[in-house]
Amino acid sequence: MAEQIQDPTHSGMPDGIERAWDDVVATARRTVREGLVVGTSGNVSARVGELVLVTPSGVPYDRLRPEDAVAVDLDGNQVLGKLTPTSELPMHLAVYRSTGAAAVVHTHAVHATAVSTLVPELPLVHYMAAALGGPVRTAPYATYGSQELAENMLLALRDRSGCLLRNHGTVTYGDTLDQAYDRTAQLEWMCRLWLTASSVPGREPSLLSDGQLREVQEKLRGYGQRGTGAADAPPQS
């Protein structure tokens, strides 16, 4: 178990923890500002070594302060802060234990949640599915905060960096919070696109083939500026 961090103020935080907490809070606030969550729904986390900084349960993001930082070890033992970690901690920890992720973003985005109630997999309506590893799957429903939900999520995330949660929302992860957030935003955009195209009476959206998607995945390997972390987010042109 990680050693308890005694002082949760910025001045007493170990190297990397202060910046990670600031980034977690900024990303959580962005999910509200850009309409991906309402109130205190959704949650955000970042890994620093063997610790995970995570948003607390039931606290409006605009009220979070430096001294509200919450951290757990990879076994879920709280080592920093007095506030209770998000109820979705099992999902976050499952991602970190199973992947090389450094950040996780969970939202209740409207269009993505709507799609999660309709299909077992988001149809290949746009090539940006390649940025998430392929067709985005929908994890079967389970009660929020449960180990069952975390296990369902991991199956849907196999060889993917994002998935839908049936009647619930989305989960994405990445090497940075910016990357994890971008994947969330792209997933919501694709869901909105499919819903819009599918709503036209008498018409069905054209979909990409697996071969076309693989071609985009190959192109993405060399996309972007070296060292910028933007290699998986090509312009939608």
Side-chain angles (χ1 to χ4, degrees):
M1 186 176 82
E3 182 180 355
Q4 179 75 29
I5 300 172
Q6 298 297 326
D7 184 355
T9 64
H10 267 35
S11 60
M13 286 187 188
D15 290 346
I17 298 295
E18 177 182 344
R19 175 182 293 181
W21 176 247
D22 288 345
D23 289 346
V24 164
V25 172
T27 302
R29 289 173 178 170
R30 187 179 178 190
T31 64
V32 176
R33 185 172 65 250
E34 299 187 6
L36 298 180
V37 303
V38 176
T40 61
S41 64
N43 26 80
V44 174
S45 68
R47 181 173 178 175
V48 181
E50 297 303 301
L51 297 182
V52 175
L53 276 292
V54 63
T55 49
S57 178
V59 180
Y61 300 137
D62 60 357
R63 297 182 188 175
L64 290 175
R65 304 164 297 172
E67 56 266 35
D68 293 326
V70 174
V72 301
D73 63 21
L74 293 175
D75 292 321
N77 301 300
Q78 188 163 351
V79 298
L80 174 64
K82 297 180 180 180
L83 297 176
T84 302
T86 172
S87 59
E88 297 292 9
L89 185 61
M91 282 203 307
H92 291 259
L93 293 180
V95 172
Y96 292 121
R97 292 170 186 152
S98 304
T99 73
V104 176
V105 175
H106 165 51
T107 79
H108 293 177
V110 172
H111 298 92
T113 304
V115 170
S116 81
T117 71
L118 298 171
V119 292
E121 180 179 279
L122 175 64
L124 284 175
V125 72
H126 196 273
Y127 64 78
M128 280 306 296
L132 293 168
V136 178
R137 307 181 187 101
T138 302
Y141 178 80
T143 304
Y144 79 91
S146 66
Q147 191 59 41
E148 181 184 5
L149 178 59
E151 292 169 359
N152 291 349
M153 174 204 67
L154 283 183
L155 288 175
L157 282 176
R158 189 178 67 254
D159 301 321
R160 303 288 187 270
S161 56
C163 72
L164 302 174
L165 305 173
R166 187 172 301 282
N167 296 90
H168 188 153
T170 68
V171 172
T172 57
Y173 69 86
D175 297 331
T176 64
L177 276 167
D178 282 345
Q179 186 181 61
Y181 185 89
D182 182 72
R183 287 170 172 170
T184 297
Q186 295 287 356
L187 179 52
E188 169 68 355
W189 181 86
M190 285 190 291
C191 288
R192 183 178 181 183
L193 174 64
W194 181 70
L195 288 171
T196 301
S198 299
S199 70
V200 179
R203 303 297 299 272
E204 290 289 333
S206 64
L207 301 177
L208 300 178
S209 68
D210 291 340
Q212 289 171 322
L213 191 68
R214 285 194 295 271
E215 183 179 1
V216 174
Q217 287 175 317
E218 287 300 315
K219 292 192 69 172
L220 285 179
R221 297 182 195 280
Y223 179 84
Q225 303 298 318
R226 293 180 182 273
T228 65
D232 70 343
Q236 296 175 2
S237 59

